[in-house]
Amino acid sequence: MRFVQRLLGRREKEEEKIFRLTTPKGELTLKPEDFLEKDPDARIEEFWVDTMDVSEDGYWLLVGRRHGLLQLYDWRGKIHRLPSRPPAQVITDILFRGRYLALITPPYLVVYLLEDIKNPQTWKSFRTTQEGIRASVGLDLQGNLLAYGVVGERVYVIDISGGFGSEGLDFRSTFSYSEAQIGELRSLKFIGTGKLLLSGTRGVALYDLSGKLLRRLDHASGRAVLPLRDKLILAEGNNIYVYDPQLEGPLHSTTTPINISQIDLSPDGEFIFLADAEENRMGLVYLPNLEFLHGFEGFGYSVVRVSPDGSIYTCTYREEDDKRLYSLRAITTNLTDFIYNKDRQSQIIKRAEEELKALKNKLKRVSTLSDPQEFEEYRRLLSMDSPIRRLREVIFEAQTLIEEAKFNTFVKSLEDRIKEGKADAGDLRDLESRIKVEEGERVERLKALKESLETYFQKALQEHLERVRNAVSEVESSDLRDFEALEEVKRAREFINKLPSHLSQQAQAQLLKVFHEKLLQDRLSRYRIRFEDSRVIFGSEDFPKFSGERRRLKWRIRVEERLPLQDKIFARIAFEREDGVLVEPKRYPNLIPQEELKTLPLWVRRYLRHLNGLFSSEPSRLPLFVSYEETPWFVRNLERFASLVKEQLMYSEGILILEGDAGVGKNFLVEVFSALTNRPLYIIPCNSKMEKEDITFVYEFDPRRGTKRTYSDLVKALQTPGAVIYFDEINTLPAGMVKLFNPLFDYRRYLTLPTGEVIKAHREVVLIGGMNPQNYLGVSELPQDIKSRADIIFVDYPPFEDEKGIYHPDEAIILKDHVRELSFLTLEEFIYLWHSVVNGLKTEPLEGQERLEKSVWKVFELLKIANAIRKAYRAYQTQQSEEPVDFVFSIRDTIRCARRLDKYPSVKSLVLETILPKVGSPLEKEIIKSIVERL
């Protein structure tokens, strides 16, 4: 039960006792009071007090306990947090002196500069240590000289006027005190000017700063040393000795019932307070005649410090549950009555109370407070500060009123800024800083204000985003930069920049989502293929469907052989069309006298007219139906393709060349265009061994007529209305062939055959070329002759991740039909699902979305791997990486992997098993394997 009480910060109520003692200076009153705030660490009392000290103005008390635990109290007993607490297992010395607070926390010496003495959060610490120098115990400060003991029976004196940086420390002197044989050092004090008193467990010694031993005494005083202006007080065991500052001989001595461990002097310099080394007992000695006046039971164990305001701080222990617990005790006294005349104190306090009353009245009349220094009453009160507890209570009340007024002003100002829409990140930072230092109801009020501020930020942000949505809805664009010029976007950016960093990042992401939602809608509406009666619209580019016009072919009489019959020469005739098609008459004999060839018989003329009427057009070569996915990437490529083809047809010159890696979809692009526009497609494979005859004539064998030469597909295609002629891998053509194509690819638009015949391309013929990049085997640079006549489109893989971190679904759309779980989704459903799952854009959930999300993530992982390998390939080909990667992860490969997603436990194992067998180099296999495993 007692442990629970300690955990909750409770103490058994002790019987209140006031000590009144008659002294040569008058009645001395001591009242033990429990005004020290409980430490939140419930175990703090298990650690004994090593040392403590009080600031020179009595405002602060710092207590150091075992295991490096520190407790900082102000004069009211309120506990504070010491900034940047030094790491230590023990605190051996604490010293307040002027604007410095010094601590020895072996092996470090830590010094705080008290920039604002009343505000610990402004105190800046400096930890000094040097190689081989380990601070141990003993500490004093005089002027700018700081002296401290170190391991190895040595003392260091440093000048701290230059600061505590590595270049600012000035080591004035160092010396060893081993010759004095004082035992373990316990205390170090400046005596007069230029002397140091060292007190240990076996003796005391007086040194000058050069390290010269001036005097040694056998008093084992330890910490019980008290240097005064004209004398030095030492205590050993139960005895007190008074020496002159030179230690030449004792002036007085006395024996006390206290086993003295530490001593301290009252503010008036008349009373010495003694702490007992073993018992809860404190002694009182009247210094002028060195008379022991009284022993106080129940407190006074080990340490004692007397504050300038007359408060006494000491320690007491108690046995509890087989443990010894150590509690701090505060004792209020009337010691200040011996310094300040009672009437004078009453006058000071009365004047302070009057100033306080005037301040209260003024604060009632002021609605807001900008600067507390603007009140003369408050400034006068602060100037009256002195170590008189009642005076400090009045000043504290004034400070509380000012702080309350400042707090209310802060709250009112922030509330007004929220109402006016002017609040920004600085307001939130100020608010959060105040929450850290305020307490009680103020904290709750500030937290509620913080909620209001964050609500304001969110509401204002949503209003800006809504205005941005309305503004961008009026803009047709595929580029985010077009949105940035809008006034609504500029104002939203300006507001977002004023937000706190964590909210600003979220707001930037939300603004980007608004942009991408709009771009998504635009892509879905803009990059579509629409069909009308006479045209196809690729995105924003419309292209006429081919009318179906066919090439007109003439028939003529062909004499196959002449035969002598009945003294006449007969000719065997057949009917031949321009493209080499032969027809023999069925109803009439095909033998006619040779002389009738000059004037054809009537049946022959009728037969020719019949053939020219019914069979005079080239057979229709309709393109095969091609299945495709209407992705924005693919439609955008078709849009550019159609635009340049229209220009080629308009001016009847040039060739359009598609460049891109193998498997990126160049041939497919041409096939889809041909099918959708109803144009015949002729594919002309090119290679480095091609000769002129290969593209102009072909030879066919007829069992009856033998081998015959006919026009090649290229020649036929050039004469076929609306034909799309695709030169596959055009940059593999040998140099000698290029000249042959020059007149075909420019304004002349004809091809000269080796026989000298000139074939003029039909006005509706479209010339297209396809080629792989130069790094491919067997590929050479496209000749300048062709470049100058060509438009070139680079066909890249579908986009995946952009610079804004958005993942595009274009290639995933191609793959979805090959994944069973996703194949039933429409294009729009899948696109919205992708952006919802992968990019976090706001969309309506689909039925069974959780199951669909797993498949989407698998497709995402597959594409992430594919694009990582593609990047490695590009980096090697462009010499940005030395890791040899020649494998091209084509769309065909991603489709193949997508079909098998359900058959493998992981996407990585699927990819490795599918593509690694295609890689020849062992080194390249390891590199690709490493790329996959890193993702």
Side-chain angles (χ1 to χ4, degrees):
M1 183 64 182
R2 289 178 179 175
F3 174 76
V4 175
Q5 290 175 338
R6 283 196 302 109
L7 187 65
L8 298 176
R10 299 173 184 167
R11 176 187 289 173
E12 293 181 354
K13 186 174 181 180
E14 300 177 4
E15 182 181 354
E16 186 175 303
K17 185 175 183 180
I18 300 177
F19 297 92
R20 289 183 172 87
L21 184 66
T22 301
T23 73
K25 294 200 68 172
E27 185 179 74
L28 177 62
T29 303
L30 286 78
K31 182 180 181 181
E33 290 193 84
D34 193 17
F35 68 79
L36 294 176
E37 185 180 351
K38 303 304 178 185
D39 196 296
D41 185 351
R43 296 185 57 204
I44 192 75
E45 291 184 350
E46 296 180 14
F47 309 110
W48 64 85
V49 176
D50 278 324
T51 182
M52 66 169 66
D53 198 24
V54 180
S55 62
E56 291 180 324
D57 61 357
Y59 200 91
W60 297 108
L61 166 70
L62 182 61
V63 180
R65 292 179 181 261
R66 181 64 63 178
H67 298 301
L69 296 174
L70 290 164
Q71 295 170 289
L72 178 65
Y73 295 92
D74 63 20
W75 65 275
R76 296 176 298 125
K78 179 177 175 56
I79 198 165
H80 295 259
R81 183 172 62 88
L82 187 67
S84 58
R85 185 180 70 85
Q89 288 300 308
V90 65
I91 310 292
T92 61
D93 266 296
I94 296 173
L95 176 69
F96 276 102
R97 192 63 52 83
R99 296 185 63 214
Y100 294 104
L101 166 62
L103 298 85
I104 289 185
T105 63
Y108 301 110
L109 166 66
V110 181
V111 181
Y112 291 86
L113 176 61
L114 314 184
E115 291 191 348
D116 181 352
I117 295 178
K118 303 297 177 62
N119 184 5
Q121 299 308 311
T122 66
W123 299 356
K124 295 183 178 179
S125 66
F126 306 89
R127 188 172 64 184
T128 63
T129 184
Q130 295 279 330
E131 185 176 352
I133 304 175
R134 300 169 61 86
S136 59
V137 68
L139 178 66
D140 202 7
L141 177 63
Q142 185 181 75
N144 291 321
L145 294 182
L146 180 67
Y148 60 100
V150 301
V151 174
E153 295 187 319
R154 297 188 67 81
V155 169
Y156 274 80
V157 181
I158 61 176
D159 188 340
I160 62 175
S161 60
F164 294 89
S166 59
E167 298 179 358
L169 289 178
D170 181 8
F171 286 82
R172 285 296 181 89
S173 68
T174 176
F175 60 88
S176 171
Y177 57 85
S178 59
E179 60 175 327
Q181 297 183 355
I182 62 173
E184 295 181 14
L185 182 66
R186 288 289 182 265
S187 180
L188 180 154
K189 302 291 182 182
F190 278 102
I191 303 294
T193 304
K195 296 176 185 177
L196 283 172
L197 179 71
L198 310 183
S199 177
T201 56
R202 290 167 51 193
V204 296
L206 185 65
Y207 280 87
D208 65 15
L209 295 186
S210 66
K212 180 181 178 181
L213 177 62
L214 302 178
R215 190 82 62 191
R216 183 194 180 281
L217 299 175
D218 286 331
H219 296 305
S221 298
R223 291 180 179 273
V225 177
L226 189 62
L228 304 178
R229 180 175 299 176
D230 57 349
K231 58 180 70 76
L232 178 65
I233 301 172
L234 303 175
E236 179 183 14
N238 297 90
N239 300 313
I240 298 177
Y241 304 91
V242 179
Y243 280 84
D244 65 83
Q246 307 302 322
L247 296 185
E248 292 180 351
L251 303 177
H252 307 282
S253 66
T254 189
T255 301
T256 73
I258 306 297
N259 183 12
I260 304 169
S261 64
Q262 194 177 63
I263 61 178
D264 202 11
L265 192 67
S266 65
D268 64 345
E270 300 286 320
F271 299 97
I272 301 175
F273 291 86
L274 317 176
D276 196 290
E278 297 177 354
E279 303 294 334
N280 290 329
R281 185 165 54 179
M282 185 177 72
L284 176 64
V285 173
Y286 184 57
L287 180 58
N289 59 14
L290 211 64
E291 177 188 359
F292 182 81
L293 298 178
H294 193 73
F296 303 92
E297 300 291 337
F299 48 82
Y301 170 70
S302 181
V303 293
V304 64
R305 277 289 181 265
V306 184
S307 171
D309 69 0
S311 299
I312 300 171
Y313 300 103
T314 182
C315 182
T316 182
Y317 70 83
R318 67 185 186 278
E319 305 293 341
E320 187 176 292
D321 299 334
D322 298 328
K323 289 182 181 180
R324 176 173 281 193
L325 304 179
Y326 304 88
S327 304
L328 291 173
R329 296 308 307 271
I331 304 166
T332 58
T333 74
N334 65 335
L335 284 169
T336 54
D337 293 345
F338 302 143
I339 304 174
Y340 305 98
N341 180 277
K342 284 189 176 182
D343 291 337
R344 176 62 178 157
Q345 286 190 59
S346 297
Q347 291 176 3
I348 294 173
I349 293 171
K350 181 179 179 181
R351 180 184 165 199
E353 289 174 342
E354 289 173 351
E355 296 287 2
L356 176 61
K357 183 178 180 180
L359 178 63
K360 289 179 178 179
N361 292 331
K362 183 171 285 189
L363 286 174
K364 290 179 181 178
R365 298 192 301 267
V366 177
S367 58
T368 59
L369 181 65
S370 57
D371 183 4
Q373 301 300 326
E374 66 189 28
F375 297 117
E376 291 291 337
E377 297 85 352
Y378 183 58
R379 295 207 323 239
R380 286 194 292 267
L381 269 172
L382 292 180
S383 67
M384 295 166 64
D385 187 25
S386 60
I388 301 174
R389 291 192 68 83
R390 175 54 190 158
L391 176 60
R392 281 198 166 152
E393 288 171 357
V394 173
I395 294 174
F396 176 74
E397 186 176 352
Q399 290 173 330
T400 302
L401 291 172
I402 290 294
E403 288 301 319
E404 184 68 25
K406 289 170 62 178
F407 176 81
N408 291 332
T409 298
F410 171 79
V411 171
K412 179 67 166 57
S413 174
L414 186 50
E415 288 174 343
D416 291 343
R417 286 178 61 81
I418 292 174
K419 290 178 182 177
E420 296 167 3
K422 297 179 179 179
D424 56 24
D427 294 315
L428 183 59
R429 285 194 297 270
D430 293 342
L431 187 55
E432 290 174 337
S433 298
R434 276 187 169 269
I435 290 175
K436 292 178 182 178
V437 298
E438 297 290 357
E439 296 177 342
E441 294 180 359
R442 287 189 184 181
V443 174
E444 297 305 317
R445 189 174 172 187
L446 290 177
K447 287 182 177 179
L449 184 58
K450 181 181 177 182
E451 290 181 7
S452 299
L453 181 57
E454 290 180 338
T455 301
Y456 156 75
F457 284 145
Q458 291 294 342
K459 181 179 178 182
L461 174 61
Q462 295 307 317
E463 290 174 354
H464 277 286
L465 292 178
E466 188 60 32
R467 287 192 286 268
V468 168
R469 282 193 187 92
N470 294 334
V472 299
S473 65
E474 304 297 326
V475 178
E476 292 293 334
S477 176
S478 60
D479 194 331
L480 291 176
R481 290 171 293 187
D482 293 339
F483 299 146
E484 297 293 344
L486 297 173
E487 284 300 321
E488 292 80 1
V489 175
K490 291 179 180 178
R491 286 194 288 270
R493 291 280 190 203
E494 184 179 353
F495 172 77
I496 289 172
N497 290 335
K498 294 179 181 179
L499 291 176
S501 57
H502 68 285
L503 292 178
S504 177
Q505 293 173 0
Q506 297 174 11
Q508 295 284 7
Q510 291 183 53
L511 181 61
L512 194 60
K513 281 186 179 181
V514 171
F515 292 163
H516 281 286
E517 286 170 5
K518 176 60 168 59
L519 291 180
L520 174 58
Q521 294 171 0
D522 286 351
R523 285 193 179 107
L524 285 175
S525 61
R526 183 184 185 284
Y527 292 111
R528 301 297 297 268
I529 300 176
R530 299 186 298 278
F531 299 93
E532 296 184 1
D533 292 340
S534 60
R535 61 179 183 161
V536 184
I537 303 173
F538 303 103
S540 61
E541 191 69 45
D542 67 318
F543 198 92
K545 291 182 181 178
F546 183 59
S547 62
E549 176 188 357
R550 288 185 287 174
R551 176 186 170 195
R552 301 290 296 181
L553 301 174
K554 293 184 179 180
W555 291 84
R556 63 174 182 268
I557 297 294
R558 171 172 175 154
V559 177
E560 294 188 316
E561 61 178 334
R562 288 178 170 79
L563 301 173
L565 294 173
Q566 301 176 355
D567 299 331
K568 286 187 178 182
I569 301 298
F570 286 85
R572 185 186 301 276
I573 66 171
F575 298 93
E576 182 181 31
R577 201 167 60 180
E578 282 185 64
D579 59 353
V581 174
L582 287 173
V583 174
E584 293 184 352
K586 301 299 183 182
R587 297 173 55 191
Y588 301 94
N590 61 347
L591 292 176
I592 63 173
Q594 181 173 320
E595 60 269 15
E596 291 185 10
L597 292 176
K598 296 179 181 180
T599 303
L600 294 175
L602 180 61
W603 73 268
V604 173
R605 294 198 301 272
R606 286 178 177 175
Y607 213 103
L608 278 173
R609 189 164 54 250
H610 175 74
L611 291 174
N612 282 319
L614 296 180
F615 306 105
S616 61
S617 298
E618 184 179 34
S620 177
R621 184 170 178 166
L622 294 177
L624 297 175
F625 174 76
V626 180
S627 176
Y628 62 91
E629 290 293 344
E630 198 172 323
T631 73
W633 161 80
F634 186 64
V635 176
R636 189 164 56 247
N637 283 336
L638 278 173
E639 182 182 76
R640 289 189 299 162
F641 184 97
S643 175
L644 292 176
V645 168
K646 279 178 68 175
E647 188 174 317
Q648 182 185 139
L649 292 173
M650 181 182 297
Y651 296 102
S652 295
E653 67 171 6
I655 180 174
L656 174 60
I657 295 179
L658 307 179
E659 180 182 2
D661 290 316
V664 81
K666 301 185 296 295
N667 294 20
F668 186 71
L669 189 66
V670 177
E671 290 173 4
V672 171
F673 173 80
S674 174
L676 297 185
T677 58
N678 202 31
R679 289 175 172 268
L681 174 62
Y682 293 83
I683 298 178
I684 312 300
C686 301
N687 59 72
S688 59
K689 304 295 184 181
M690 184 176 284
E691 297 180 357
K692 292 181 181 181
E693 288 75 9
D694 295 329
I695 63 170
T696 54
F697 294 105
V698 294
Y699 293 88
E700 299 176 352
F701 177 74
D702 189 320
R704 292 187 303 170
R705 299 179 177 85
T707 301
K708 62 177 181 177
R709 185 175 67 179
T710 62
Y711 289 135
S712 66
D713 272 358
L714 174 58
V715 176
K716 293 177 181 178
L718 289 174
Q719 301 176 77
T720 300
V724 175
I725 304 175
Y726 180 57
F727 296 90
D728 194 12
E729 298 190 20
I730 192 171
N731 57 339
T732 61
L733 285 174
M737 293 289 293
V738 174
K739 295 295 181 184
L740 178 67
F741 287 114
N742 282 347
L744 180 61
F745 294 159
D746 61 23
Y747 66 94
R748 289 170 286 184
R749 223 61 171 169
Y750 64 73
L751 180 69
T752 303
L753 305 185
T755 60
E757 185 180 358
V758 174
I759 304 298
K760 180 71 173 176
H762 191 276
R763 67 182 184 281
E764 286 290 334
V765 164
V766 176
L767 301 178
I768 308 294
M771 67 179 187
N772 295 328
Q774 293 180 39
N775 53 279
Y776 280 73
L777 187 64
V779 172
S780 59
E781 184 178 2
L782 190 67
Q784 187 60 38
D785 288 10
I786 296 180
K787 281 184 180 179
S788 65
R789 293 165 166 79
D791 284 307
I792 300 177
I793 295 177
F794 184 77
V795 182
D796 203 354
Y797 288 103
F800 183 59
E801 181 182 11
D802 64 16
E803 67 278 1
K804 300 292 185 180
I806 294 294
Y807 293 95
H808 295 286
D810 295 78
E811 192 167 357
I813 296 171
I814 298 173
L815 304 183
K816 82 171 182 68
D817 287 339
H818 303 280
V819 180
R820 181 175 54 83
E821 296 285 351
L822 305 174
S823 58
F824 70 91
L825 295 175
T826 65
L827 175 66
E828 287 80 4
E829 286 175 339
F830 179 77
I831 290 177
Y832 281 114
L833 175 63
W834 173 274
H835 283 291
S836 172
V837 173
V838 177
N839 296 318
L841 297 183
K842 182 177 65 176
T843 59
E844 291 295 328
L846 297 173
E847 183 179 350
Q849 180 152 330
E850 184 177 351
R851 173 176 47 83
L852 298 174
E853 286 178 2
K854 294 179 181 179
S855 297
V856 170
W857 281 122
K858 286 184 178 181
V859 173
F860 172 77
E861 186 177 357
L862 169 60
L863 292 178
K864 196 169 185 179
I865 293 171
N867 279 274
I869 296 174
R870 290 166 184 169
K871 285 182 180 178
Y873 165 78
R874 289 274 171 82
Y876 177 64
Q877 301 301 330
T878 56
Q879 299 183 355
Q880 296 178 22
S881 171
E882 296 181 357
E883 292 188 337
V885 178
D886 288 312
F887 174 75
V888 182
F889 208 123
S890 68
I891 296 177
R892 286 187 289 268
D893 290 311
T894 57
I895 291 174
R896 190 172 290 110
C897 290
R899 292 171 182 155
R900 305 168 183 171
L901 278 176
D902 294 335
K903 300 178 181 178
Y904 284 80
S906 72
V907 177
K908 290 182 179 180
S909 61
L910 160 63
V911 171
L912 291 176
E913 190 168 323
T914 302
I915 69 171
L916 281 188
K918 301 182 180 184
V919 180
S921 165
L923 174 60
E924 187 179 354
K925 283 186 178 181
E926 289 301 316
I927 292 171
I928 291 177
K929 185 177 179 182
S930 175
I931 292 172
V932 174
E933 291 175 346
R934 283 199 305 264
L935 294 174

